[in-house]
Amino acid sequence: DAQYRRGVSLFRLGRWREAVAVFESVERRYRSTRYFRYGYFWRGLALYRLEEYAEAIEALRTFLAGPADEELSPQAWLVQAQAEIALGDQRAASRSLQQLRTDYPASDLARSGTVLLLYSYLQQNRFPEAVELASATDAAGLPAKQRPLFQLYAAEALWRDGRTAEAEPLYAGLLAEAGASARGEVPADVAAVAYRRLFVAAGQRGELDRMESLIRQAEGRFAGDPELLREMWVQVGVESFRQGKPDLAEYFLDKVWSLPERGELDPTVPLYLAAGEPAEAQDILEAYLAAKPRQSERAELRLGDTHLLQSDFAGAARIYQGLLQRYPDSPLTAEARYLLAYTRYRLGDLNG
């Protein structure tokens, strides 16, 4: 019993590795202790904190296979689901969360699990089920800090299910709460998604005044968070491009392009800007690559394409060859090899 209590104390002190070692010792040497099975619970939680998710799931499943514990079992189901999400096993996470809600419907953790289950459904593209879950949930019964996230997920479920008209009031409600709250209950990243969705919806209807109003509101709201504002501009620009509105896409991506530290930009920025004239695209991509970004393979490949489109086969070949030498394991290798072979063919280098 003393070893078990020591392990729990270590866990609560944040000394998770030591706690794991103690609980493993209890499992090996003290199997007769009345706390034996609870060691699996605490070891599972400690392993989760250590980001050893597969091992955490194994320990928690062992605990949950025993008799139910009204206090600890809900937490075990919830942490197991979080570990499954961390491993990308959304279906397993959904099952764990459904079990939590079925077995402990009155638990506060079951209410928290509802928000996580809604997220898991979205990740699996199970939009009708997400809409049904959101509709059946009383948001007022959720922990206050989770309500904005629940409302965002509910809106996303409707939006991605093609029910944009029903989603818009939920997004607008989030922004109204964000504006009215002096304490900032609506997180900035949640508000950013709402602005982006509403802007896209207004663009689809051609509501220019509404679009301009949303831009001003968002830029005011995120003036102190340039990284978030940068990401929002990128997302709106890309979505505008996908909707067949290149001028609007260029407007937002140019705003990002004008910022310092180009090497930190998402590579989609120069790639979407590069959809225009080859010479202009070449200038943009060369400026981007001059900043030595962390991810450059795709930009280099597109730079080679700009030379190819201008019949500069020697320049294109040089870029494709350099790309293959620097990134031999890139998923773009096959495309680069094909293009290099084509440029050599155009140059008359049939043996290259």
Side-chain angles (χ1 to χ4, degrees), residues 4-332:
Y4 169 80
R5 288 193 293 271
R6 178 169 174 263
V8 173
S9 296
L10 287 168
F11 174 85
R12 288 175 172 159
L13 289 169
R15 294 161 64 178
W16 301 310
R17 182 63 67 193
E18 294 173 71
V20 168
V22 169
F23 290 124
E24 287 176 340
S25 175
V26 169
E27 291 165 19
R28 290 193 306 270
R29 301 172 58 191
Y30 304 101
R31 299 184 69 85
S32 61
T33 177
R34 57 178 172 160
Y35 296 114
F36 173 72
R37 65 178 292 261
Y38 292 100
Y40 290 107
F41 169 81
W42 291 105
R43 183 161 66 86
L45 264 59
L47 288 165
Y48 176 79
R49 296 293 185 89
L50 291 166
E51 300 183 3
E52 296 178 10
Y53 301 120
E55 294 80 0
I57 291 168
E58 182 181 0
L60 292 168
R61 283 179 178 166
T62 302
F63 170 75
L64 289 166
D69 184 291
E70 290 293 323
E71 180 183 357
L72 300 184
S73 291
Q75 188 175 359
W77 281 116
L78 183 62
V79 175
Q80 178 174 294
Q82 290 171 324
E84 288 161 342
I85 287 174
L87 291 176
D89 193 348
Q90 297 291 346
R91 286 203 169 274
S94 296
R95 290 192 294 269
S96 297
L97 294 165
Q98 288 162 351
Q99 196 69 47
L100 167 61
R101 285 164 44 82
T102 299
D103 292 351
Y104 305 97
S107 166
D108 288 341
L109 293 177
R111 287 188 281 273
S112 297
T114 298
V115 180
L116 198 59
L117 180 57
L118 190 53
Y119 166 82
S120 184
Y121 281 158
L122 290 173
Q123 293 298 109
Q124 297 172 71
N125 296 332
R126 295 164 66 177
F127 307 132
E129 291 170 86
V131 170
E132 182 179 357
L133 175 61
S135 300
T137 302
D138 178 11
L142 298 173
K145 289 185 177 180
Q146 292 191 325
R147 289 173 201 161
L149 201 56
F150 171 80
Q151 186 166 331
L152 175 66
Y153 291 159
E156 286 289 285
L158 289 165
W159 180 278
R160 296 169 69 181
D161 199 37
R163 299 161 64 174
T164 56
E166 297 171 69
E168 284 188 63
L170 296 180
Y171 292 124
L174 282 169
L175 297 184
E177 290 179 29
S181 172
R183 294 170 298 181
E185 280 95 345
V186 178
D189 55 348
V190 171
V193 176
Y195 276 118
R196 178 162 55 88
R197 292 300 198 197
L198 290 172
F199 183 90
V200 170
Q204 290 172 338
R205 294 189 294 268
E207 297 174 355
L208 298 180
D209 290 344
R210 173 66 169 155
M211 293 165 69
E212 291 178 6
S213 174
L214 287 166
I215 292 170
R216 288 195 299 272
Q217 290 176 37
E219 291 181 348
R221 171 76 168 78
F222 305 126
D225 193 342
E227 287 300 318
L228 185 58
L229 189 58
R230 181 201 308 264
E231 177 62 23
M232 192 182 72
W233 282 339
V234 169
Q235 293 297 328
V236 171
V238 168
E239 289 189 29
S240 300
F241 186 87
R242 288 172 176 163
Q243 288 181 8
K245 299 178 179 178
D247 291 342
L248 189 59
E250 185 175 5
Y251 169 75
F252 282 102
L253 297 178
D254 272 337
K255 288 169 76 71
V256 181
W257 189 245
S258 66
L259 295 172
E261 300 180 3
R262 287 182 179 175
E264 298 299 315
L265 298 184
D266 186 312
T268 57
V269 176
L271 298 185
Y272 277 94
L273 282 176
E277 293 296 323
E280 181 181 355
Q282 180 180 330
D283 290 342
I284 292 171
L285 289 165
E286 285 176 349
Y288 175 70
L289 291 168
K292 302 187 184 306
R294 290 190 300 270
Q295 304 175 56
S296 64
E297 299 103 303
R298 191 169 296 278
E300 287 189 40
L301 188 70
R302 295 287 82 86
L303 179 60
D305 295 349
T306 64
H307 285 267
L308 194 62
L309 290 170
Q310 297 175 83
S311 299
D312 179 11
F313 303 116
R318 174 177 48 79
I319 292 168
Y320 296 140
Q321 182 66 52
L323 173 62
L324 290 168
Q325 290 173 347
R326 282 188 294 278
Y327 307 104
D329 300 321
S330 170
L332 302 175

